[in-house]
Structure formats: structure tokens, C-alpha cells
Amino acid sequence: DLKLPPETLEVPVPRYFKENNAKNIRLRDKVNSQYMNLKLEVKEVPIEETEDLDAPPSDMTLDQVIEIIQRNERGRQGKQCVFLFKDLREDEKRRHNYTSSQLEMDPEVAACNIQRLFRGFFSRVKAAESRDEELIFIGMKPARETGDGLEKELATAYKKRKTEQSD
């Protein structure tokens, strides 16, 4: 929050934008004025001035103004109190759950938690495997090297060493 007045935040319309759209703007204004002449039979539509909401109403007494301010302040303090108690209740509940979970846990709840975690892990592994298989199938990923080639090379190297040792 920069706390800047609205005047500094207004972005001026670039000159090139005005120049590029000058023809469209003139055409729009002409259509609007013709429409007002045709339908309303007026060249300009008077715009009502809106009341300044920041200005205090002149028909209120000082007591009424003080009463409104007090009512608003009490409401603000009440909302603040509600949020404070809500946070305290949540902290207490979190603290209670943390201390109670460390002391003792129901075996059924623990089993359900372990099953839930395992099932989630297992489904993620299966999804990754099926994704890899699909990518291999459509040719976006090279096929996996199976260990058969390496095992054959190891077996031939082992036989070669044995024959060299026996000679």
C-alpha cells in the first residue's frame, strides 16, 4: 500500500492513442449527438451532480454524529474480537491435536493413515509408469533399456575371464 492519492495513480491516455483513434472518436461523438437529437430532442444531456459522500451531512446534530461513530467503532472492535477468538480457538485445537497425537493414537486411525499414504504413493507411481509407457508408445520418449543386454555382457565377460584363467 503506497498511500498515494488517486491523482498520482491515474495513467494519462497516450497521445498516439488519441491521434490514432481521433477519427473513431469523432464518429462516435457525432452518432451520440444525432441519437440525442433524434430521441431526446436535446443537444446535451444534463448530468446530475452526485453528492460528496465524504462530506458530512448538514442536517445531523453533533450527538447523532458521535452516536454513529461510536456504533461503527463498537462494530469494528466486535469483529476484531471475533477474529482474535477464532484464531485462539484454532491455535488451541492445533496444539491439542499435536499433543494428543504424540501421546497415543488409536490403532485403527493409525492403520487408516498408513493405508491412505501408501495408496496415494502407489497410485502416483502407477500414474508415472503409465505416463512413461504412453510417451514411449507415441515416440516422445526413448524406450527403456532392459537389463538383459547388460546381463549378457556380464555373462560373456565372466566366461571370457574364466577361460583366460584356465589357460
Side-chain angles (χ1 to χ4, degrees), residues 27 42 93 136:
L27 180 65
V42 179
K93 188 183 284 186
I136 290 169

Side-chain angles (χ1 to χ4, degrees), residues 47-59:
I47 299 173
E48 297 178 12
E49 292 186 26
T50 58
E51 292 183 28
D52 187 15
L53 297 177
D54 294 334
S58 58
D59 60 341

Side-chain angles (χ1 to χ4, degrees), residues 55-164:
S58 58
D59 60 341
M60 295 180 79
T61 64
L62 184 62
D63 291 337
Q64 290 173 333
V65 172
I66 291 173
E67 189 177 316
I68 290 172
I69 291 172
Q70 286 177 342
R71 192 177 318 129
N72 286 339
E73 181 62 20
R74 286 184 191 124
R76 186 193 66 79
Q77 288 177 357
K79 286 171 83 174
Q80 189 178 18
C81 186
V82 165
F83 286 125
L84 177 70
F85 281 121
K86 184 178 177 185
D87 288 342
L88 288 174
R89 253 186 273 125
E90 288 175 358
D91 288 345
E92 183 66 31
K93 188 183 284 186
R94 204 175 303 119
R95 215 175 297 120
H96 176 69
N97 288 341
Y98 180 72
T99 56
S100 66
S101 65
Q102 282 186 341
L103 297 177
E104 192 174 311
M105 184 180 260
D106 186 26
E108 290 182 18
V109 173
C112 287
N113 285 340
I114 292 170
Q115 288 174 357
R116 177 177 50 87
L117 291 172
F118 176 76
R119 287 178 183 149
F121 171 77
F122 192 67
S123 65
R124 283 189 295 276
V125 167
K126 283 288 189 189
E129 287 176 359
S130 67
R131 191 179 324 114
D132 287 345
E133 288 174 4
E134 185 176 344
L135 290 174
I136 290 169
F137 178 72
I138 61 176
M140 291 182 68
K141 191 174 184 180
R144 285 186 227 120
E145 295 279 333
T146 57
D148 297 340
L150 291 175
E151 289 176 4
K152 287 180 183 177
E153 288 181 33
L154 285 173
T156 55
Y158 178 75
K159 288 179 184 176
K160 189 175 181 181
R161 261 187 278 124
K162 286 298 181 182
T163 56
E164 287 177 4

